[in-house]
Amino acid sequence: MNNWEIAQIFNEIADLLDILGESPYKSRAYRRAAHKLSNTYLDAFQLSREGRLKEIPGIGDALAKKIQELITTGKLRYYDELREKVPASLRQLLLIPGVGAKTAQIIYQHLKPRDLAELETAAREKRLRELPGIGIKTEEAVLRGLETLASSKQRLLLHHAFAVAGEIKDYLKDLSGITMVKTAGSLRRGRETVGDLDFVAVAHDPLTVIEELANAPFLQELLMAGDCQLSLITKWGIRADISVVRPEYYAAALQYMTGSKEHNEELCVLARRSGWEISEKGIYPGQEGPLPSSEEELYSRLGMLYIPPELREGKGEIQAARRGVLPYLLEECDLKGDLHVHSQWSDGVNTVEELAVEARRRGYQYMAVTDHSKSLHVACGLTEDRIWEQREEIRRINQRFTDFRLLAGIEVEIRPDGSLDFDDDLLAEMDIVVASIHSGFNQDETTLTERVVGAMQNKHVDIIGHPTGRLLGRREPYSIDIDQVLKIAAATGTALEINSSPDRLDLCDRYIRRGKELGVCFAVNTDAHDLHYLDDLQYGVLQARRGWLERNDVINTMTFEQLSDWLQRS
Ligand code: DGT
Ligand code: CA
Ligand code: CA
Ligand code: ZN
């Protein structure tokens, strides 16, 4: 039982409490705990052994006991009791992202859909909107939620995928007989969510290794074991495919298992023309000479530049590689600072000073402290007075450094009516302004687009934070005319954020690439509320690379002096 699984159960408990009409304080406590659990770097399993669960913020005595019970017995009596009180067909409605207890109850009372397919039919036939208290908007939200649910079914977020893949890889590396292991598949390509995990392992005697793997400690169910491949369900409930090949097939197998399917299919057409062979071991020369010893050699012998995994989606990268015009992709070490970070002044957990020290330790030249603004009450948004106090603290801390600067910024609310939380005079005083939407997600496309466009037209706004508002697997992007947003961003010189948080990764790769074509500049930020999440930057970098971005497309690759000039632009 890991943090994420516990969080899922707590969220479900919160929904069940709402359905049963219990005090909203109770459900809120479970939701808050779920949020903390899925966002903390602290490992509940580890802490429970040491009796230190209460170190997780939001976890008191009662919740700690429940977590303890879940971890030691794999079950929770309280949860089972609640489930018994709510019919299964009502419970399944709660699984739809965006459908809360109230909506679920109305749908259940009036329609009693047997399954989600039946609900979808009702929504498509526009029958939901006729129910009391449910309008067109809710009906559309249900349809969107059903789509999200279908597409996200058990797809893993990147940080979970990396964590589980790391454990499997560590085990494989230590297995005698295996000389090398690489992660392949969508995880190697840095896709924003991952369906299953794929590995390529090298061994002189693949068969023996495969036999031995059938006893791997993380194995829950063996799905298939062939001469060079093994498919299994891990104890985390996640599927893994492991290819075990002899050393000479390493490059061919790694290339094949990395995919994507679309990329491979295009590559196969070219390979066949060169007389190469194709099998589940990969694409290789067969009669046409020795096997390539690296992916670089493989691509080169097929007449093209080496294609980084993040580009291998069958979206024009093969043509570009053949013409020799692939981008020099952004790298994490190109980034010289983070331009969207929260402190204790709003809803972050660290002091400004702690952030500065950590940023400097990471070798950053700068970091922007961008706390929330006043109308975001849930996040303790800053009033004008508090902003001035915070500036004073930032000024004091900056005096200590000659090689590092904190920027006094703000994440200003774009309010539902399109206005910003502060007037121009105040915004003009800030070193950097990130403008974001955190409310009114359900407005129509024209209104939402105008809110974002209006913010970009304000000359004090430097960056639009998480531009489409999506939460992977939980909330669809709000409806905005993205092409319009990209064009105005290019015209006004406003940077669009690539939010690195693995449950956002907002913008998505497609929009990034379209934006680059239109001349948009980007900022790869973490939006960290805790300094441990400054590490999320790696996911944002992957996303930027998948959007074909180069160093020059990203403003936080600039030195402090260059960035200062950029921020002064009119
Ligand atoms: P996922 O797991 O849904 O996130 O995405 P992938 O890309 O990891 O897909 P997966 O695990 O089904 O397969 C791993 C790789 O194996 C895939 O990226 C390319 C290769 N592959 C799988 N099926 C096919 C196929 O039908 N044709 C070709 N050419 N390659 C395939
Ligand atoms: Ca996969
Ligand atoms: Ca797979
Ligand atoms: Zn933020």
Side-chain angles (χ1 to χ4, degrees):
M1 185 88 28
N2 60 30
N3 282 26
W4 186 63
E5 289 163 319
I6 301 169
Q8 306 265 79
I9 291 175
F10 277 14
N11 273 325
E12 207 181 321
I13 291 179
D15 284 338
L16 294 170
L17 288 169
D18 286 344
I19 290 267
L20 294 167
E22 298 267 344
S23 149
Y25 290 107
K26 249 177 158 175
S27 58
R28 213 173 295 152
Y30 277 97
R31 270 199 197 95
R32 196 174 321 128
H35 182 75
K36 293 286 182 204
L37 277 166
S38 45
N39 285 295
T40 182
Y41 60 96
L42 297 166
D43 180 28
F45 183 76
Q46 194 63 36
L47 289 180
S48 81
R49 280 186 179 168
E50 299 162 8
R52 293 166 49 208
L53 277 170
K54 284 190 284 180
E55 285 177 23
I56 303 174
I59 307 288
D61 279 324
L63 291 178
K65 258 201 200 128
K66 300 222 158 62
I67 297 175
Q68 195 77 47
E69 186 181 336
L70 270 169
I71 286 175
T72 41
T73 69
K75 281 164 94 168
L76 181 59
R77 237 168 323 139
Y78 179 61
Y79 170 58
D80 294 338
E81 282 164 18
L82 289 177
R83 281 169 66 93
E84 266 173 35
K85 290 187 196 156
V86 178
S89 50
L90 172 51
R91 272 190 273 125
Q92 66 170 359
L93 299 178
L94 295 171
L95 299 177
I96 308 169
V99 172
K102 212 170 111 216
T103 308
Q105 245 160 341
I106 298 173
I107 294 176
Y108 175 74
Q109 272 169 12
H110 295 268
L111 285 180
K112 291 225 167 47
R114 243 174 312 146
D115 50 31
L116 295 181
E118 207 172 290
L119 174 67
E120 186 171 347
T121 311
R124 294 220 181 279
E125 290 171 356
K126 307 192 193 322
R127 282 188 281 126
L128 288 193
R129 62 181 72 176
E130 286 155 15
L131 304 180
I134 294 193
I136 296 181
K137 262 191 197 158
T138 311
E139 184 177 271
E140 284 170 354
V142 168
L143 278 171
R144 272 203 309 274
L146 285 168
E147 254 171 57
T148 310
L149 190 66
S151 69
S152 72
K153 245 213 166 112
Q154 280 140 11
R155 286 192 74 83
L156 290 170
L157 299 184
L158 270 188
H159 59 312
H160 292 131
F162 272 112
V164 173
E167 286 201 35
I168 296 179
K169 224 172 123 177
D170 285 345
Y171 173 79
L172 294 175
K173 264 198 296 217
D174 290 344
L175 206 65
S176 65
I178 292 185
T179 56
M180 183 156 52
V181 186
K182 265 302 250 185
T183 309
S186 50
L187 185 58
R188 182 165 181 239
R189 304 198 308 280
R191 238 189 102 172
E192 59 198 25
T193 60
V194 168
D196 68 7
L197 301 173
D198 305 277
F199 302 89
V200 174
V202 175
H204 290 280
D205 182 3
L207 263 178
T208 312
V209 168
I210 286 180
E211 272 168 28
E212 208 169 318
L213 279 175
N215 302 315
F218 52 76
L219 183 139
Q220 186 182 320
E221 191 189 336
L222 189 62
L223 299 174
M224 190 277 293
D227 311 342
C228 63
Q229 253 206 354
L230 186 83
S231 291
L232 51 91
I233 309 273
T234 61
K235 66 175 182 189
W236 304 277
I238 295 160
R239 193 185 138 132
D241 294 330
I242 306 171
S243 256
V244 187
V245 297
R246 290 184 50 79
E248 61 270 26
Y249 279 99
Y250 169 65
L254 180 62
Q255 192 291 319
Y256 181 84
M257 288 283 280
T258 299
S260 66
K261 187 164 172 281
E262 291 73 16
H263 174 88
N264 284 358
E265 280 167 0
E266 254 185 74
L267 203 65
C268 283
V269 174
L270 291 172
R272 273 201 199 91
R273 267 191 235 151
S274 313
W276 285 31
E277 285 172 26
I278 290 138
S279 81
E280 83 272 6
K281 278 196 193 130
I283 303 170
Y284 48 90
Q287 305 298 321
E288 310 292 317
L291 283 147
S293 63
S294 65
E295 280 189 323
E296 283 79 1
E297 187 188 332
L298 188 153
Y299 282 103
S300 149
R301 279 170 60 186
L302 289 172
M304 65 190 85
L305 295 178
Y306 170 75
I307 302 176
E310 294 90 337
L311 301 186
R312 300 184 196 168
E313 293 294 339
K315 299 230 165 76
E317 71 280 4
I318 291 181
Q319 292 91 312
R322 292 183 77 190
R323 285 191 285 119
V325 291
L326 284 180
Y328 288 99
L329 295 181
L330 177 76
E331 294 186 26
E332 196 173 342
C333 59
D334 293 329
L335 294 171
K336 300 203 169 55
D338 197 325
L339 298 176
H340 182 173
V341 175
H342 295 270
S343 77
Q344 265 178 12
W345 285 84
S346 64
D347 58 348
V349 307
N350 298 103
T351 62
V352 169
E353 182 177 4
E354 284 165 347
L355 291 172
V357 170
E358 174 60 17
R360 198 162 156 270
R361 191 192 65 80
R362 285 172 185 254
Y364 292 171
Q365 292 186 14
Y366 46 83
M367 174 183 273
V369 182
T370 54
D371 277 308
H372 291 290
S373 67
K374 60 186 179 189
S375 71
L376 199 62
H377 302 293
V378 289
C380 308
L382 299 183
T383 57
E384 284 85 345
D385 289 347
R386 302 260 300 152
I387 288 178
W388 296 121
E389 285 174 47
Q390 189 193 36
R391 281 197 76 105
E392 183 47 33
E393 181 177 349
I394 290 175
R395 198 187 55 77
R396 250 187 309 114
I397 293 170
N398 273 331
Q399 280 175 344
R400 287 178 23 201
F401 305 117
T402 52
D403 55 352
F404 172 80
R405 278 292 282 276
L406 280 176
L407 298 173
I410 186 81
E411 179 174 19
V412 68
E413 285 299 301
I414 306 174
R415 294 189 286 214
D417 67 359
S419 63
L420 299 178
D421 240 355
F422 296 120
D423 58 28
D424 283 3
D425 292 343
L426 188 140
L427 295 179
E429 292 292 323
M430 307 306 298
D431 293 339
I432 187 166
V433 176
V434 178
S436 308
I437 287 183
H438 294 103
S439 60
F441 295 123
N442 295 326
Q443 292 174 335
D444 59 62
E445 181 173 314
T446 316
T447 312
L448 275 158
T449 307
E450 274 169 13
R451 283 169 75 187
V452 178
V453 166
M456 290 192 288
Q457 281 163 342
N458 182 312
K459 66 174 188 227
H460 304 299
V461 170
D462 301 301
I463 300 173
I464 298 294
H466 40 75
T468 73
R470 71 172 178 177
L471 292 175
L472 287 167
R474 286 189 286 148
R475 186 170 76 207
E476 288 294 297
Y478 36 71
S479 39
I480 47 169
D481 178 347
I482 191 72
D483 232 49
Q484 171 81 350
V485 168
L486 294 173
K487 281 177 186 149
I488 305 286
T492 57
T494 314
L496 296 183
E497 178 172 85
I498 298 172
N499 190 294
S500 306
S501 172
D503 62 353
R504 285 191 187 269
L505 291 170
D506 184 6
L507 289 174
C508 76
D509 49 6
R510 220 160 19 104
Y511 296 163
I512 296 171
R513 193 163 165 201
R514 170 88 183 118
K516 181 186 161 93
E517 284 166 11
L518 293 168
V520 174
C521 56
F522 297 88
V524 181
N525 295 333
T526 60
D527 195 0
H529 287 66
D530 178 324
L531 50 83
H532 294 92
Y533 296 117
L534 294 174
D535 284 338
D536 285 352
L537 210 63
Q538 57 184 313
Y539 309 120
V541 170
L542 284 174
Q543 186 82 339
R545 289 166 66 88
R546 291 178 58 80
W548 294 51
L549 293 195
E550 301 179 280
R551 188 166 36 166
N552 287 344
D553 301 314
V554 177
I555 60 170
N556 45 329
T557 62
M558 291 194 248
T559 61
F560 176 69
E561 287 72 29
Q562 291 167 330
L563 181 71
S564 304
D565 288 347
W566 186 84
L567 290 168
Q568 303 297 321
R569 81 206 180 286
S570 50

